[in-house]
């Protein structure tokens, strides 16, 4: 009997100890959350140091972050002059840099050396680098994207050079480029969502295009080069055997597509981001507390997996603000990252931005939903005046700062996710409408319609208290959310 009582006492003591640890961790976690700095600010996208300073003077009393998002300003001295002015105005500073700057230099200084010296110069007020723009959106919308970067790898055992094919997505197609040892293109293979496959081969005497169609038809166009003129011969399915080259079947060619399914697409996209971030030695930057971030309107989950420290969800284009926040916050929460929003164009023509009242509401919603960053995208296509911010927008920013950020009654992150909707693993759907593409490569299917219906239902039920994530064995939703719904759940 005493033994039973002792066991009961020890068990109760252990449960009390475990409970205390959990409560302590919870309190500590929440204290850390409340200690994080919230950043709100604007971007400058022009090429005038004086104009940038004038914008700083305009907003310094009601913002705390200034982002130099100007790819045209590649002079380190000018960037530093703007940065010095921002920091002297008691604001934090972030800099956008394009690929060409990272692959080369800024004002003759290697980029990491510049970034590290910038951190030493501006200390904690230099928060990070806005690196590359909309990698996910570019993939979804068919812009030129390097899914695998071309390179030459040295085989240390044989001392031979191995040619690595480059993989590019342009429009709806995926194209694989094969090169010779001198870097010249020897063939391209383009794969289309509807099943078409085009193979072009090049040599010094002739070019050949083989077109494979989903119905089994194969057409060959061979051009013989000479005296700057060419002759073509077209073969169809009926006389394909007359062609001298060995022709593979359509099925054989289609199986060579390096991206066969969603898992392949996700891997290629994550690898692309990892490689670009490796190019700038992100690990070295992070050691010095320099964050690397981007802004986008889709595929946030895999941008975090690719290594970005935080992602700014673009609020604009009349997209659903609730859905964008649910997607980026869900990805950040489950992968233990920060997140934010960037208020971008509502129109593709002047005035570009929404009005001041709606801008205020978007900033307020972002703040209450827990965004760590809220930035206004200040850019127009006017070659004379790149700024889009009008007086009503500055008034909205000042009102947001005074009535929301500095108001102790408004809790930052007070609107928390009470439920989560879990979508299929690596299902890279754009989600802007029921017909949106998957990875920009495949068309909507029955699964997309089921997800769309479930999405509308759960969004209506939970609004901003819903997160949206994806199945991932390394990031399980059941450990962070009380109510978990799956896309195929009835």
């Amino acid at each position: 009997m005493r033994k039973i009582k002792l066991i009961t006492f020890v068990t109760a003591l252990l449960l009390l100890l475990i409970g205390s640890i959990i409560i302590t961790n919870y309190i500590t976690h929440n204290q850390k959350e409340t200690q994080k700095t919230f950043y709100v600010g604007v971007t400058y996208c022009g090429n005038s140091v004086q104009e940038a300073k004038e914008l700083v003077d305009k907003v310094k009393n009601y913002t705390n972050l200034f982002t130099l998002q100007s790819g045209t300003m590649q002079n380190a001295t000018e960037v530093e002059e703007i940065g010095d002015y921002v920091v002297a105005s008691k604001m934090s500073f972030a800099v956008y840099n394009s690929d060409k700057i990272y692959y080369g230099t800024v004002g003759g200084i290697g980029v990491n050396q510049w970034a590290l010296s910038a951190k030493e110069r501006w200390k904690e007020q230099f928060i990070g680098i806005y690196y590359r723009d909309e990698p996910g959106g570019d993939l979804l919308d068919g812009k030129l994207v390097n899914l695998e970067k071309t390179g030459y790898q040295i085989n240390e055992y044989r001392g031979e050079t191995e040619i690595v094919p480059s993989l590019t997505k342009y429009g709806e197609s995926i194209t694989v480029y094969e090169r010779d040892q001198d870097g010249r293109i020897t063939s391209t293979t383009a794969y289309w969502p509807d099943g078409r496959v085009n193979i072009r081969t090049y040599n010094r005497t002739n070019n050949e295009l083989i077109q494979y169609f989903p119905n089994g038809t194969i057409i060959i166009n061979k051009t013989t080069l000479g005296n700057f003129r060419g002759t073509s011969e077209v073969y169809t399915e009926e006389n394909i055997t007359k062609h001298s080259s060995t022709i593979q079947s359509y099925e054989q060619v289609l199986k060579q597509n390096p991206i066969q399914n969603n898992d392949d697409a996700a891997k290629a996209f994550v690898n692309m981001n990892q490689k670009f971030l490796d190019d700038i030695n992100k690990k070295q930057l992070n050691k010095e507390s320099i964050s690397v971030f981007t802004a986008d309107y889709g595929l946030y989950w895999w941008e975090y997996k690719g290594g970005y420290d935080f992602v700014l969800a673009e609020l604009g284009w009349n997209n659903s603000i609730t859905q964008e926040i649910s997607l980026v916050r869900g990805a950040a929460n489950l992968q233990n990252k920060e997140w934010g929003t960037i208020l971008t164009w509502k129109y593709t023509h002047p005035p570009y931005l929404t009005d001041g009242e709606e801008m205020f509401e978007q900033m307020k919603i972002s703040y209450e939903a827990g965004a760590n960053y809220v930035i206004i995208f200040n850019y127009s296509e006017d070659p004379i005046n790149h700024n889009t911010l009008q007086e009503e927008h500055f008034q909205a920013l000042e009102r947001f700062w005074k009535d929301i950020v500095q108001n102790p009654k408004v809790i930052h992150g007070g609107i928390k996710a009470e439920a989560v909707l879990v979508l299929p693993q690596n299902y890279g759907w754009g989600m802007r409408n029921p017909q949106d593409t998957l990875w920009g490569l495949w068309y909507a299917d029955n699964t997309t319609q089921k997800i769309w219906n479930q999405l509308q239902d759960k969004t209506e039920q939970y609004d901003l208290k819903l997160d949206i994530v994806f199945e991932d064995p390394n990031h399980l939703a059941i450990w962070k959310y009380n109510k978990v719904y799956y896309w195929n759940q009835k």
Side-chain angles (χ1 to χ4, degrees):
M1 195 71 177
R2 288 181 180 176
K3 192 173 184 180
I4 293 174
K5 288 183 178 179
L6 181 61
I7 292 173
T8 303
F9 173 75
V10 171
T11 302
L13 187 62
L14 285 172
L15 288 173
L16 181 62
L17 180 61
I18 293 170
S20 300
I21 293 172
I22 292 173
I23 292 171
T24 302
N25 287 338
Y26 177 81
I27 293 172
T28 303
H29 173 75
N30 279 275
Q31 285 176 340
K32 289 180 179 178
E33 285 292 316
T34 56
Q35 290 171 358
K36 287 182 180 177
T37 302
F38 170 76
Y39 294 96
V40 58
V42 299
T43 69
Y44 175 69
C45 303
N47 54 12
S48 165
V49 173
Q50 182 58 36
E51 192 176 61
K53 289 181 178 180
E54 290 172 359
L55 183 59
V56 171
D57 289 338
K58 181 73 174 178
V59 302
K60 64 183 180 182
N61 292 327
Y62 46 85
T63 64
N64 60 356
L65 175 63
F66 191 87
T67 302
L68 182 60
Q69 191 183 355
S70 181
T72 60
M73 298 194 70
Q74 298 173 20
N75 184 295
T77 302
E78 292 181 343
V79 172
E80 288 165 3
E81 184 177 350
I82 295 172
D84 287 343
Y85 198 81
V86 170
V87 170
S89 300
K90 298 181 180 179
M91 301 171 67
S92 293
F93 190 47
V95 178
Y96 175 86
N97 276 292
S98 62
D99 289 345
K100 58 185 177 182
I101 296 178
Y102 277 106
Y103 292 140
T105 59
V106 178
I109 305 174
V111 66
N112 268 13
Q113 181 181 342
W114 181 87
L116 296 175
S117 65
K119 190 66 177 181
E120 184 176 351
R121 184 187 192 106
W122 298 312
K123 304 297 188 288
E124 70 278 358
Q125 286 173 269
F126 180 55
I127 67 164
I129 294 171
Y130 183 160
Y131 181 55
R132 307 186 76 239
D133 190 45
E134 300 177 342
D138 283 350
L139 187 64
L140 288 171
D141 286 340
K143 297 179 183 178
L144 185 63
V145 176
N146 284 322
L147 293 171
E148 297 288 348
K149 297 173 63 181
T150 306
Y152 301 93
Q153 296 179 347
I154 302 300
N155 186 321
E156 296 181 358
Y157 299 98
R158 297 186 193 173
E160 298 175 353
T161 301
E162 179 185 355
I163 306 302
V164 181
S166 63
L167 188 64
T168 298
K169 190 258 177 181
Y170 183 72
E172 294 181 324
S173 65
I174 303 169
T175 302
V176 178
Y177 294 83
E178 297 281 355
R179 301 174 186 271
D180 62 19
Q181 301 246 353
D182 296 322
R184 290 188 295 261
I185 296 175
T186 57
S187 71
T188 64
T189 305
Y191 300 91
W192 298 81
D194 62 7
R196 287 176 293 148
V197 180
N198 293 348
I199 300 179
R200 291 182 183 272
T201 56
Y202 309 87
N203 59 45
R204 297 182 186 277
T205 59
N206 61 70
N207 297 335
E208 185 178 71
L209 169 63
I210 307 177
Q211 297 174 283
Y212 296 83
F213 295 90
N215 63 3
T217 299
I218 302 173
I219 297 179
I220 301 172
N221 187 306
K222 187 174 183 180
T223 303
T224 302
L225 304 178
N227 299 322
F228 303 103
R229 299 177 66 182
T231 59
S232 298
E233 293 180 275
V234 179
Y235 297 81
T236 59
E237 187 178 25
E238 288 74 20
N239 61 2
I240 198 73
T241 55
K242 297 179 182 178
H243 192 263
S244 57
S245 301
T246 302
I247 302 300
Q248 294 177 298
S249 69
Y250 177 83
E251 288 73 19
Q252 289 174 313
V253 175
L254 194 61
K255 287 179 181 178
Q256 296 173 25
N257 188 340
I259 298 181
Q260 293 280 333
N261 51 45
N262 289 323
D263 291 340
D264 294 337
K267 182 179 179 181
F269 182 68
V270 169
N271 287 345
M272 177 195 77
N273 285 304
Q274 287 176 339
K275 288 178 180 179
F276 278 118
L277 293 173
D278 286 344
D279 284 339
I280 62 172
N281 198 347
K282 177 179 173 290
K283 291 182 179 178
Q284 180 190 30
L285 297 176
N286 285 166
K287 284 181 180 179
E288 300 300 325
S289 299
I290 302 172
S291 296
V292 182
F293 64 97
T294 189
D296 218 324
Y297 52 91
L299 306 182
Y300 310 131
W301 181 267
W302 299 275
E303 287 170 341
Y304 280 114
K305 293 197 72 172
Y308 279 102
D309 295 311
F310 64 89
V311 178
L312 304 174
E314 296 180 3
L315 306 186
W317 321 109
N318 294 311
N319 289 346
S320 167
I321 293 175
T322 299
Q323 180 174 297
E324 297 304 326
I325 288 178
S326 296
L327 281 164
V328 71
R329 183 178 62 185
N333 281 349
L334 216 50
Q335 297 186 49
N336 296 313
K337 299 288 186 73
E338 291 186 323
W339 67 278
T341 60
I342 182 166
L343 282 57
T344 185
W345 290 1
K346 183 175 182 177
Y347 314 100
T348 56
H349 53 77
Y352 296 105
L353 295 175
T354 186
D355 59 50
E357 185 61 34
E358 185 174 21
M359 180 177 286
F360 173 82
E361 289 299 323
Q362 291 177 355
M363 291 188 288
K364 178 175 179 290
I365 288 171
S366 301
Y367 182 85
E368 292 180 326
N372 305 103
Y373 306 84
V374 173
I375 298 175
I376 310 298
F377 179 57
N378 176 33
Y379 173 76
S380 78
E381 293 183 334
D382 185 339
I384 299 176
N385 181 14
H386 292 295
N387 298 300
T388 55
L389 289 169
Q390 304 299 318
E391 191 58 37
E392 63 175 321
H393 302 129
F394 293 119
Q395 291 175 3
L397 267 167
E398 186 170 11
R399 178 185 167 199
F400 172 69
W401 180 260
K402 292 180 178 178
D403 293 354
I404 304 300
V405 179
Q406 293 189 322
N407 185 352
K409 295 181 180 180
V410 181
I411 301 174
H412 177 228
I415 301 176
K416 299 184 182 297
E418 296 179 355
V420 64
L421 176 60
V422 183
L423 305 187
Q425 184 169 352
N426 291 330
Y427 200 74
W429 182 34
M431 297 180 65
R432 291 165 291 184
N433 57 70
Q435 287 74 45
D436 211 346
T437 64
L438 284 159
W439 296 106
L441 301 174
W442 300 293
Y443 303 119
D445 53 24
N446 291 334
T447 299
T448 58
Q449 189 60 56
K450 291 179 182 177
I451 293 174
W452 182 260
N453 295 339
Q454 185 77 291
L455 178 65
Q456 305 315 304
D457 178 67
K458 294 299 178 286
T459 300
E460 183 178 354
Q461 182 178 354
Y462 289 99
D463 195 47
L464 284 167
K465 296 181 180 180
L466 176 75
D467 276 353
I468 304 171
V469 301
F470 296 81
E471 289 186 50
D472 190 321
N474 297 316
H475 305 285
L476 298 176
I478 57 175
W479 294 110
K480 278 210 170 185
Y481 300 90
N482 293 325
K483 297 178 181 178
V484 180
Y485 299 96
Y486 293 88
W487 67 275
N488 54 356
Q489 183 176 333
K490 293 183 179 180

